[in-house]
Amino acid sequence: MARHEIKSPIPGTFYRKPAPEEPPFVEIGDAVAEGDVVALVEVMKSFHPIRADAEGIVSGFPLEDGEPVAAGMTIVELE
Amino acid sequence: MEQGLSIRKLLIANRGEIACRVIRAAKELGLETVQVVSEADTDSLAARMADEVKLIGPPHPAKSYLDAGAILSAARECGADAIHPGYGFLSESARFAEAVESAGLTFIGPLSDTIRLMGDKAAARTQARDAGVPTVPGSDGVIKDLDEALTLAEAIGFPVMIKASAGGGGRGIRVAKNSDEVCRMAPQASSEAKAAFGDNGIYIEKLIESARHIEVQVLGDGFNVVHFFDRECSLQRRRQKVWEEAPSAAISDTVRALLCASAVDLAKSVNYRGAGTVEYLYDEATGEFYFIEMNTRIQVEHPVTEMICGTDLVIGMIRVCAGQRLALTQDEIARKGHAIEVRLNAEDPANSFMPFPGIVTGLRVPKGDGIRFDHMLYDGYEIPPFYDSLLGKLIVWAPDRAQAITRLTYALDGLAIDGLPTTAPLYSALAACAEVQANAVHTGWMETWLEQNTDILTKQGEAAA
């Protein structure tokens, strides 16, 4: 069970990487601090960084890279 | 069905307001319509309007509206014999047009070779120059190396623009103010062009400062070409047009005649078929105009031309691509009055134009003489976040420009798209602005005005919310 869930405030397309050929922002097991960028959400052709709103260790990604996301959906789980 | 058309069932390979617009034109011609949709668009207005709907894939454009294979399969399955690509997506993909041709279907647009030629911005420049169309001083096609770029930039004078040959629509442009910047930006621009467009070719053009954007609408049948006069689209944000007019109030009829004739010359030089737009920069200080690029598709702002010429360009492009010759000679095409279009985007002008998809909880459409609203909305519609933010276009016509601005003002007052912020307050503010009323603008004007008038939009944003 995740201790904290980072949610997307906006709907769009969820991306784990800053660009297709670059590595993901974070991987499972990585430590994140509050304010770290953990994902991108593309809404209407513009890209918005999603920042961690708590510190913790990344434990899961409920969505695949490139999947649609609704506003309020969890995109990164922390332990 | 209309006599003399070689097609009977049209598939619309696009979405949003332009899909609705194309369906209307197809119905006028008595054609059957097929709307392809992604999973996010099964309940779109276009899907509700079309005779048939075909699902082509997931929401992401790469997996649906940009998937040529899925679109061609849909066409085969439902027996469509023609494809209208709208604007954006695959509309200017020569490969897609070629695939449509190879499948034995009619592409509602130019031949793939024409799209390929005009899509290569450096080749298009050469084609324009050969047709006697003035081009911006710059490189003769793609530049070979940094030395050539430097020599050329110094010869034509700074600032210069470094452009991606495969770019267009304002994408892939850098401005260099001196030699050092050319040295730094040219290699960057080249590798970025490779990444973005799969082609590292770049070319150089002189930056015409405080220029206006003026364009000419053409329609060709593969043999003959006519023009439907000009539009001015100088009000831009981030190189995207937001407010368009027809005709341009900034040029004399003498300049207009030269401009329109040069657009026809260019289109004739490639035996143009379909609707197209030849775009120019106009330097008000010198009265000179320069070719920028040709767009080989119907454009977002086509309605202002329709309003002043009393014509239907989408019907026109379908007819010429379905085997008919042009119905009108140039002498039969006249213009009357002035038209203005504003683009209603799902963006919040009071919050840095942040895109804001949402649910339309109420819709009030302005009505009256000379008012038109081309859109994709209905009460209760949930706007998908996966696509362009354009919701619709409010178009007004009046006998002259001042009256058109007055009409725009009250048409905007009569428009309500409840449930989400839109760019409507921006246009009310622009319509009330003395410089817009005096037409004292250029392509960089609006961004400066926005920086200096943040409070106007914030207040209107609050009042609207």
Side-chain angles (χ1 to χ4, degrees):
Chain A
M1 187 60 202
R3 188 173 59 81
H4 181 83
E5 295 175 338
I6 302 172
K7 297 178 192 318
S8 174
I10 46 174
T13 305
F14 163 76
Y15 294 106
R16 287 189 52 200
K17 309 170 192 172
E21 66 279 8
E22 286 176 44
F25 290 106
V26 288
E27 297 278 14
I28 288 176
D30 285 357
V32 296
E34 197 176 324
D36 285 356
V37 175
V38 293
L40 283 183
V41 172
E42 179 188 4
V43 54
M44 293 179 151
K45 292 177 158 182
S46 81
F47 291 85
H48 297 271
I50 307 296
R51 293 173 188 280
D53 50 358
E55 59 167 33
I57 306 293
V58 175
S59 59
F61 300 97
L63 296 172
E64 294 287 321
D65 183 58
E67 264 196 281
V69 59
M73 241 185 196
T74 299
I75 51 172
V76 181
E77 292 165 345
L78 300 183
E79 251 164 33
Chain B
M1 196 184 92
E2 187 173 287
Q3 294 291 304
L5 287 181
S6 63
I7 61 172
R8 53 170 196 86
K9 192 168 188 177
L10 180 67
L11 180 144
I12 295 97
N14 210 297
R15 62 176 306 282
E17 70 87 20
I18 194 62
C20 301
R21 172 73 187 87
V22 173
I23 293 171
R24 273 208 316 277
K27 285 182 187 283
E28 291 271 342
L29 290 168
L31 297 171
E32 286 179 71
T33 50
V34 182
Q35 178 62 54
V36 294
V37 295
S38 73
E39 285 160 8
D41 278 338
T42 52
D43 212 15
S44 69
L45 185 58
R48 292 179 174 197
M49 288 168 70
D51 299 315
E52 271 178 63
V53 177
K54 290 289 280 183
L55 183 66
I56 50 165
H60 201 280
K63 295 171 183 161
S64 48
Y65 300 105
L66 289 170
D67 184 342
I71 292 167
L72 283 167
S73 298
R76 238 185 336 268
E77 283 163 24
C78 65
D81 49 16
I83 296 184
H84 196 303
Y87 52 65
F89 295 123
L90 293 169
S91 62
E92 290 178 284
S93 162
R95 284 173 70 181
F96 179 63
E98 197 168 16
V100 174
E101 290 162 3
S102 304
L105 307 178
T106 300
F107 182 74
I108 307 299
L111 296 174
S112 54
D113 289 345
T114 312
I115 300 176
R116 191 170 289 115
L117 173 66
M118 291 302 173
D120 178 338
K121 299 307 168 191
R125 229 176 101 81
T126 307
Q127 182 75 30
R129 207 164 30 193
D130 291 350
V133 178
T135 54
V136 182
S139 59
D140 190 8
V142 170
I143 55 164
K144 286 171 211 73
D145 51 37
L146 195 55
D147 281 348
E148 190 190 348
L150 272 176
T151 313
L152 206 82
E154 276 156 18
I156 61 179
F158 291 99
V160 297
M161 289 189 290
I162 303 169
K163 295 182 162 189
S165 191
R171 298 175 311 157
I173 298 177
R174 278 179 164 74
V175 175
K177 292 192 251 347
N178 52 51
S179 301
D180 286 352
E181 290 193 346
V182 171
C183 292
R184 188 160 50 80
M185 290 176 177
Q188 273 175 11
S190 183
S191 57
E192 210 177 88
K194 177 75 181 169
F197 312 112
D199 173 357
N200 68 358
I202 54 168
Y203 64 104
I204 284 185
E205 275 182 7
K206 186 173 174 62
L207 176 69
I208 311 290
E209 288 177 281
S210 304
R212 288 172 182 269
H213 176 110
I214 301 179
E215 58 189 34
V216 177
Q217 176 69 54
V218 296
L219 185 68
D221 61 11
F223 303 92
N224 197 16
V225 176
V226 291
H227 71 78
F228 290 86
F229 299 98
D230 53 297
R231 298 186 282 261
E232 177 163 351
C233 321
S234 297
L235 293 182
Q236 303 184 359
R237 184 177 164 270
R238 295 189 175 170
R239 298 188 193 274
Q240 299 300 310
K241 301 161 185 171
V242 300
W243 161 311
E244 300 105 343
E245 307 189 15
S248 168
I251 56 174
S252 67
D253 282 347
T254 312
V255 170
R256 191 181 327 278
L258 290 169
L259 191 75
C260 294
S262 87
V264 169
D265 287 345
L266 174 60
K268 276 187 176 163
S269 78
V270 295
N271 297 319
Y272 197 79
R273 185 191 77 180
T277 299
V278 185
E279 297 192 326
Y280 298 89
L281 283 179
Y282 178 65
D283 186 344
E284 207 163 13
T286 61
E288 300 285 334
F289 58 84
Y290 305 99
F291 169 79
I292 322 172
E293 64 182 30
M294 180 168 191
N295 293 323
T296 55
R297 53 170 158 83
I298 192 74
Q299 279 188 289
V300 177
E301 61 271 25
H302 75 275
V304 287
T305 299
E306 297 184 327
M307 297 293 265
I308 64 162
C309 293
T311 193
D312 187 315
L313 292 165
V314 181
I315 286 180
M317 75 189 290
I318 295 173
R319 281 183 175 146
V320 291
C321 296
Q324 290 193 0
R325 298 296 293 267
L326 284 169
L328 296 171
T329 62
Q330 191 65 63
D331 296 347
E332 292 169 321
I333 300 166
R335 65 183 169 88
K336 190 180 164 197
H338 197 90
I340 301 174
E341 171 186 283
V342 293
R343 300 189 187 191
L344 279 311
N345 291 342
E347 294 169 9
D348 186 359
N351 182 19
S352 321
F353 292 85
M354 170 86 169
F356 200 98
I359 296 175
V360 179
T361 55
L363 178 66
R364 194 171 72 237
V365 174
K367 295 209 163 57
D369 282 350
I371 298 175
R372 167 174 165 183
F373 186 45
D374 282 19
H375 67 102
M376 58 183 277
L377 306 172
Y378 56 81
D379 203 348
Y381 178 54
E382 185 174 353
I383 296 151
F386 310 107
Y387 312 104
D388 194 275
S389 61
L390 183 67
L391 302 173
K393 304 158 337 194
L394 180 62
I395 307 115
V396 296
W397 178 92
D400 64 38
R401 187 172 184 273
Q403 290 178 69
I405 292 176
T406 304
R407 192 164 273 178
L408 175 66
T409 305
Y410 72 71
L412 282 165
D413 289 343
L415 171 73
I417 302 170
D418 299 331
L420 61 152
T422 75
T423 46
L426 167 68
Y427 304 121
S428 298
L430 284 171
C433 170
E435 284 160 287
V436 172
Q437 288 169 1
N439 197 25
V441 297
H442 55 81
T443 53
W445 177 85
M446 202 183 89
E447 292 208 29
T448 310
W449 178 81
L450 280 170
E451 282 163 21
Q452 291 164 354
N453 290 277
T454 44
D455 52 325
I456 293 180
L457 289 173
T458 307
K459 267 185 232 142
Q460 294 200 3
E462 281 165 6

